[in-house]
């Protein structure tokens, strides 16, 4: 909530809540316009058990600050009465945080069951509203409307706070005036703390108007104080935000770690792919060099191999040799009527190597195979039989080698 959003100022007393703009009259149904609104109110509470403790830690995480304060105030936390320790960070810098911790009995912290709208309003400890009267450096004391409050400020941070009621804090005859006693106690604290300079600046107030002016000036000149909100709904909301922030930080850290792992894996895979491509390129170049000769310069093995094949196809030498073999085999297998000779073997496969042809086929009788060899061994070709095997169920499988005779 900002200063512009604060529309009214209230003080909690034994008689109820008093509207400071209306001279401190009680708020409620009987005083029209004096009831606490649902939003925009600054409510001052004179907590009887309030104390302020400045801190300065070399870390800025609110979770770490809470942990350090819990260790510092462990004697308070181990008592019979529950105590709430509420950290307020006034500034961060150099990786550290400084501020003050408010210690209040848990039973005094206002909650939703008090009949006061708290979720849209701010609840301050009463002494905090007095800081502007000494520019955040000095001693402030207020006594009026049945309550008392005193504080010592340094650098806009409360060093000492004390609240109570005028009836409970009535001084004895030997202590003199109550205002003088509160000022004396604050001065003794400043001197004991080694801050004699703070004892020179003292402000005292007794009227609702003075308290209203102090609260207005403090909200305007110390906007960091607006983050102080001592109410049960506000404390729960703060803890919920801290838990959410921790979850988001952990999620962000996990996402960053997974992203780094993914990048590392991708980089490793890219190196492997690059290494494989370089190895394949080297193997292709070596293979082409074996075929084309060591003297030829290798630029693109695949394109150069394609060019070599095109040259071979363009020469036509292989095609004419194959035609001679096919023509000779056609004459061997065909008779005078142009059909296949009766009883001749069946050709299953021919493997042509350029200088010769290896034939594989089947025949019913050995005489048919011999007739094929005799017919093929003519017109400048030499035919020789290879393996002959019996086929289960009848018949023979044979191989025949056919070569051209050199002139």
């Amino acid at each position: 909530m900002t200063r512009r959003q604060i529309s009214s100022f209230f003080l909690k007393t034994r008689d109820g809540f008093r509207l400071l703009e209306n001279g401190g009259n009680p708020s409620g149904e009987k005083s029209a316009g004096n009831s606490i609104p649902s939003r925009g109110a600054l409510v001052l509470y004179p907590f009887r058990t309030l104390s302020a403790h400045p801190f300065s830690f070399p870390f800025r995480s609110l979770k770490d600050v809470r942990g350090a304060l819990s260790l510092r105030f462990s004697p308070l936390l181990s008592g019979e009465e529950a105590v709430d320790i509420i950290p307020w960070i006034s500034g961060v810098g150099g990786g550290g945080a400084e501020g003050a911790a408010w210690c209040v009995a848990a039973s005094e912290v206002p909650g939703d069951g008090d009949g006061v709208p708290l979720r849209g309003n701010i609840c301050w400890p009463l002494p905090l509203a007095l800081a502007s009267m000494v520019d955040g450096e000095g001693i402030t004391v207020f006594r009026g409307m049945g309550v008392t409050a005193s504080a010592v400020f340094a650098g806009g941070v409360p060093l000492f706070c004390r609240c109570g009621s005028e009836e409970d804090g009535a001084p004895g005859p030997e202590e003199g005036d109550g205002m003088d006693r509160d000022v004396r106690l604050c001065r003794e604290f400043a001197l004991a703390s080694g801050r004699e300079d703070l004892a020179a600046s003292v402000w005292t107030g007794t009227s609702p108007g003075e308290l209203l002016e102090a609260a207005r000036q403090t909200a305007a000149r110390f906007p960091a104080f607006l983050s102080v909100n001592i109410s049960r709904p506000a404390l729960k909301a703060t803890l919920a935000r801290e838990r959410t922030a921790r979850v988001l930080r952990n999620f962000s850290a996990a996402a960053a770690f997974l992203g780094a792992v993914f990048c590392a894996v991708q980089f490793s895979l890219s190196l492997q792919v690059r290494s494989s491509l370089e190895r394949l390129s080297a193997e292709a170049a070596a293979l082409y060099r074996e075929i084309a000769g060591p003297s030829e310069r290798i630029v693109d093995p695949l394109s150069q191999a394609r060019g070599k094949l095109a040259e071979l196809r363009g020469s036509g030498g292989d095609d004419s040799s194959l035609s001679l073999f096919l023509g000779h085999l056609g004459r061997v297998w065909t008779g005078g009527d142009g059909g296949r000779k009766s009883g001749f073997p069946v050709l299953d496969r021919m493997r042509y190597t350029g200088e010769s042809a290896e034939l594989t086929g089947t025949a019913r009788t050995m005489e048919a195979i011999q007739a094929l060899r005799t017919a093929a061994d003519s017109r400048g070709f030499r035919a020789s039989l290879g393996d002959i095997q019996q086929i289960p169920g009848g018949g023979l499988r044979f191989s025949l080698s056919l070569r051209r005779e050199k002139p």
Side-chain angles (χ1 to χ4, degrees):
M1 184 182 295
T2 63
R3 171 66 184 86
R4 294 178 181 178
Q5 294 174 310
I6 298 178
S7 58
S8 54
F9 296 81
F10 290 84
L11 173 66
K12 175 69 168 65
T13 67
R14 286 186 174 183
D15 300 329
F17 293 93
R18 296 177 177 269
L19 179 63
L20 297 181
E21 288 96 326
N22 198 20
N25 289 332
S27 64
E29 296 296 333
K30 295 182 180 180
S31 302
N34 290 355
S35 60
I36 298 178
S38 60
R39 299 185 64 83
L42 179 61
V43 187
L44 307 178
Y45 279 82
F47 299 113
R48 293 182 303 102
T49 58
L50 176 71
S51 62
H53 306 270
F55 64 77
S56 178
F57 296 124
F59 40 79
R60 63 176 63 185
S61 169
L62 195 54
K63 177 185 177 183
D64 296 336
V65 170
R66 288 186 185 276
L69 293 175
S70 298
L71 293 176
R72 176 185 292 185
F73 299 113
S74 56
L76 290 176
L77 300 177
S78 61
E80 295 181 359
E81 186 174 9
V83 176
D84 283 329
I85 300 177
I86 305 154
W88 168 67
I89 297 179
S90 61
V92 294
E98 58 183 16
W102 305 96
C103 295
V104 186
S107 58
E108 274 201 288
V109 177
D112 290 325
D114 297 341
V116 178
L118 299 175
R119 296 186 181 275
N121 298 317
I122 295 179
C123 300
W124 271 6
L126 176 58
L128 187 63
L130 311 177
S132 62
M133 296 295 96
V134 290
D135 294 329
E137 294 276 346
I139 297 171
T140 60
V141 177
F142 177 82
R143 295 181 68 90
M145 291 181 288
V147 299
T148 65
S150 56
V152 179
F153 293 95
V157 177
L159 306 181
F160 170 81
C161 288
R162 186 167 177 263
C163 294
S165 65
E166 289 184 304
E167 293 80 2
D168 295 339
E174 70 282 358
E175 294 181 314
D177 180 70
M179 184 75 75
D180 294 338
R181 184 199 62 175
D182 291 344
V183 171
R184 185 177 68 255
L185 289 175
C186 290
R187 280 178 170 162
E188 290 176 356
F189 174 85
L191 294 175
S193 304
R195 300 299 303 270
E196 296 84 355
D197 56 316
L198 300 178
S201 177
V202 179
W203 175 88
T204 59
T206 57
S207 68
E210 290 175 307
L211 180 58
L212 174 62
E213 182 62 20
R216 282 177 173 170
Q217 290 294 328
T218 300
R221 296 169 58 186
F222 296 90
F225 286 173
L226 294 176
S227 62
V228 178
N229 193 356
I230 303 181
S231 69
R232 193 61 60 194
L235 297 182
K236 291 181 180 179
T238 300
L239 292 176
R241 286 194 298 269
E242 291 180 27
R243 287 193 295 268
T244 303
R246 285 197 298 270
V247 170
L248 292 177
R249 282 197 300 269
N250 294 337
F251 177 78
S252 300
F257 175 75
L258 291 177
V261 171
F262 179 76
C263 291
V265 171
Q266 289 292 97
F267 181 71
S268 176
L269 290 176
S270 65
L271 290 180
Q272 294 180 7
V273 171
R274 181 178 179 181
S275 176
S276 299
L277 292 176
E278 291 176 352
R279 185 177 66 255
L280 290 174
S281 178
E283 292 176 355
L287 180 60
Y288 180 77
R289 187 172 286 109
E290 291 179 3
I291 298 173
S295 60
E296 185 168 348
R297 180 171 176 265
I298 307 299
V299 178
D300 186 348
L302 182 58
S303 298
Q304 289 176 270
R306 288 174 178 170
K308 287 290 184 181
L309 290 176
E311 292 176 4
L312 291 175
R313 284 197 300 268
S315 64
D318 287 347
D319 289 343
S320 62
S321 297
L322 178 60
S323 299
L324 291 174
F325 272 90
L326 293 177
H328 180 64
L329 291 176
R331 287 189 294 270
V332 170
W333 250 275
T334 56
D337 56 356
R340 186 169 69 90
K341 293 179 180 179
S342 177
F344 248 52
V346 176
L347 180 62
D348 294 335
R349 184 179 63 181
M350 183 185 78
R351 185 167 66 88
Y352 175 70
T353 61
E355 297 294 333
S356 64
E358 299 294 332
L359 309 179
T360 303
T362 57
R364 293 182 180 180
T365 63
M366 186 64 186
E367 289 76 8
I369 297 175
Q370 289 293 345
L372 173 63
R373 188 199 68 78
T374 302
D377 192 16
S378 64
R379 296 179 179 271
F381 287 91
R382 297 293 297 174
S384 59
L385 286 174
D387 293 338
I388 299 176
Q389 300 177 355
Q390 187 75 32
I391 300 175
L396 300 170
R397 181 178 297 279
F398 69 93
S399 63
L400 184 143
S401 177
L402 185 66
R403 292 179 175 273
R404 290 187 62 187
E405 292 183 342
K406 295 182 179 181

